[in-house]
Amino acid sequence: MAGSVCAARVRAVGSWFNAVLGGQDYQRYVDHLHRNHPGCEIPSEREYWRRRHADADTNPQNRCC
């Protein structure tokens, strides 16, 4: 019983870190494209992150530094 509770807490912490670091952002973007832009080409995950970081560098809006 204690082992399963500990494992559940570890998974919860891992899930939280994944959410904070943007681990599901690409999949949410792909889902958005499928729903709202069905004919649009889906970029690779690598291209998605490249564009996202380039956009953040070009337009620093919500950053501390």
Side-chain angles (χ1 to χ4, degrees):
M1 183 75 170
S4 64
V5 171
C6 183
R9 288 183 180 164
V10 168
R11 281 192 301 274
V13 169
S15 177
W16 179 80
F17 271 111
N18 190 34
V20 168
L21 297 175
Q24 297 298 316
D25 289 357
Y26 174 71
Q27 188 56 50
R28 280 196 302 261
Y29 178 68
V30 169
D31 293 343
H32 164 80
L33 289 179
H34 284 301
R35 275 192 319 273
N36 299 308
H37 311 281
C40 189
E41 183 178 337
I42 306 292
S44 68
E45 187 169 2
R46 182 181 181 111
E47 183 60 28
Y48 166 78
W49 287 108
R50 185 178 295 129
R51 289 179 189 171
R52 182 168 168 172
H53 289 295
D55 184 51
D57 288 341
T58 304
N59 303 306
Q61 298 169 355
N62 295 323
R63 292 178 20 189
C64 65
C65 309

